[in-house]
Amino acid sequence: MTTFVEQKNDLLLRAARGEPVERTPVWMMRQAGRYLPEYRAIRAGLDFLTLCKTPELAVEVSLQPYRIIGVDAVIMFSDILIPVEAMGQEVRLTEQKGPELPDPIRTRSQVDKLRVPDPVESVPFVMEIIRTLKRELDGRVPLIGFAGAPWTLAAYMIEGGGSKSYSEIKRLMYKEPAMIHSLLDKIADTIILYLNAQIEAGAEIVQLFDSWAGELSPRDYEQFALPYEQKVLGSIDRRRAPAILFINGVGTLLEKMETSGADVLSIDWRVPLGDARRRTGGRVTLQGNLDPCVLLSTPELIASSAAKLIAEGGGSRHILNLGHGILPSTPVENARAFVDAAKGGGGSSQ
């Protein structure tokens, strides 16, 4: 059990729940990473998976963006494929090549062999990272846990890594739908246990990454991704931790995405924030959605772009973030300019 710690900056949690905030909270997806020299120094001579599994190092890189650029939340350093490895599929992770799964799922017998692991036993390092971060932060900012959504994890598991066409999972989706549903259901059961263990360890808000659901048509999304988002989001301890759902390429899916049950919808930059607000009727908090490439420009342009997003957000039910992860080539001073733009104003939700 985690002990209660008074939050000194709970802007993110209040915004996620639709409560009044003094200003718009801000953090960035992939905020712990290669754009920071301090991160690169730790990574020198160390492979990515080892970093994910070494609590003291993962804690340090998780805290770096808070210390260096002053974000309003810390997200634990990990990878969405960590529970996939625990399910019994080999995973290789490098930042150069990205994820590689050398034995991709292609048959029902492979699905049947996968297990639904106890996360406390199978990935204890994740829980240690969260518990340590909780102690280190001591309520200064909220701690974010996360997991991949079933469709996105299934895509990696079947494609054997990233993909441009997602032809293998879509082939099986159309040809062997029962097999795909069995895999998605097993992944969902795994992620429910995984996120609840994170919340128990101290995560105060969680994000579900369905990054590749935007590759689906609205009809296929409704059949193969949404039900499993709903299953996960409906089965985790939301009384203790609100939930964010992220989809890259959400344009035609936004209204269906809203039915996932998430407290916050994190959207990519292709949908204007004002349009997303109108389409969802102000019923949910929106997170985003600056194009990460804007952070490659100038601090002045970044500040004005962030101010426009804050204005579109209306000072209420909005979390300032990027529309995808921060790029490794981003100058640190530009990342700081983005964060400072939120701290410099944004209005009240009263």
Side-chain angles (χ1 to χ4, degrees):
M1 292 289 291
T2 55
T3 57
F4 174 77
V5 176
E6 182 181 359
Q7 279 289 347
K8 302 169 183 66
N9 174 353
D10 63 350
L11 289 170
L12 180 73
L13 301 179
R14 283 189 280 144
R17 295 186 175 110
E19 298 170 1
V21 291
E22 297 77 47
R23 64 167 175 84
T24 302
V26 58
W27 69 283
M28 294 180 294
M29 289 185 281
R30 292 185 188 159
Q31 64 186 19
R34 284 182 288 168
Y35 73 103
L36 290 171
E38 293 83 354
Y39 172 88
R40 294 196 299 270
I42 289 176
R43 271 300 314 279
L46 189 69
D47 71 88
F48 186 78
L49 201 53
T50 298
L51 178 55
C52 290
K53 294 182 178 182
T54 308
E56 60 269 27
L57 298 180
V59 166
E60 173 59 27
V61 297
S62 300
L63 291 171
Q64 285 173 351
Y66 170 67
R67 294 170 178 157
I68 296 166
I69 59 175
V71 287
D72 286 318
V74 166
I75 185 167
M76 71 159 182
F77 184 84
S78 188
D79 190 89
I80 64 171
L81 294 177
I82 292 294
V84 170
E85 185 180 51
M87 292 178 74
Q89 188 173 10
E90 184 182 355
V91 175
R92 300 171 185 170
L93 291 172
T94 65
E95 283 182 321
Q96 287 72 33
K97 294 183 179 179
E100 295 179 327
L101 293 81
D103 187 22
I105 302 293
R106 301 291 167 83
T107 66
R108 183 60 184 254
S109 64
Q110 287 176 292
V111 174
D112 292 341
K113 288 177 184 177
L114 294 170
R115 57 184 175 268
V116 176
D118 178 345
V120 175
E121 295 178 358
S122 61
V123 289
F125 52 89
V126 173
M127 309 313 147
E128 186 177 346
I129 291 166
I130 292 174
R131 287 191 296 268
T132 306
L133 282 169
K134 182 80 168 179
R135 289 195 303 270
E136 290 286 329
L137 288 171
D138 193 30
R140 289 192 291 274
V141 294
L143 175 59
I144 306 171
F146 71 90
W151 165 263
T152 291
L153 293 183
Y156 279 113
M157 295 168 80
I158 291 171
E159 297 289 339
S163 176
K164 293 182 178 179
S165 65
Y166 298 90
S167 57
E168 287 298 333
I169 188 171
K170 288 187 176 183
R171 177 180 67 82
L172 290 173
M173 183 180 79
Y174 295 126
K175 189 177 179 181
E176 303 281 354
M179 172 188 152
I180 294 296
H181 281 296
S182 179
L183 175 60
L184 291 166
D185 203 49
K186 187 170 280 190
I187 297 170
D189 288 340
T190 297
I191 296 306
I192 289 165
L193 293 175
Y194 186 55
L195 285 178
N196 275 330
Q198 291 184 30
I199 294 168
E200 179 66 23
E204 293 147 290
I205 183 169
V206 294
Q207 178 154 315
L208 189 65
F209 286 87
D210 213 350
S211 306
W212 309 132
E215 299 294 326
L216 294 168
S217 70
R219 180 178 297 177
D220 289 338
Y221 171 74
E222 199 164 18
Q223 184 176 356
F224 291 98
L226 179 61
Y228 301 98
E229 294 169 354
Q230 292 170 329
K231 179 176 179 177
V232 171
L233 294 169
S235 303
I236 60 176
D237 191 351
R238 301 278 290 285
R239 295 168 301 174
R240 295 170 65 179
I244 306 167
L245 174 62
F246 170 70
I247 294 178
N248 184 29
V250 72
T252 61
L253 307 178
L254 185 59
E255 288 81 4
K256 295 182 186 299
M257 182 187 183
E258 188 190 348
T259 69
S260 66
D263 302 284
V264 182
L265 305 184
S266 187
I267 59 176
D268 66 278
W269 66 94
R270 301 170 186 90
V271 178
L273 190 62
D275 288 354
R277 176 75 68 205
R278 287 187 290 274
R279 288 169 62 185
T280 56
R283 292 178 293 271
V284 292
T285 296
L286 297 176
Q287 178 173 277
N289 61 341
L290 190 71
D291 185 336
C293 289
V294 174
L295 296 191
L296 304 180
S297 64
T298 64
E300 294 76 20
L301 180 60
I302 293 163
S304 65
S305 300
K308 289 174 184 175
L309 275 180
I310 292 169
E312 277 191 90
S316 155
R317 281 193 172 275
H318 179 218
I319 298 164
L320 185 63
N321 205 313
L322 306 177
H324 203 272
I326 187 171
L327 297 170
S329 55
T330 302
V332 176
E333 60 269 24
N334 287 7
R336 188 178 293 113
F338 178 67
V339 172
D340 287 348
K343 294 188 170 185
S348 169
S349 66
Q350 301 298 322

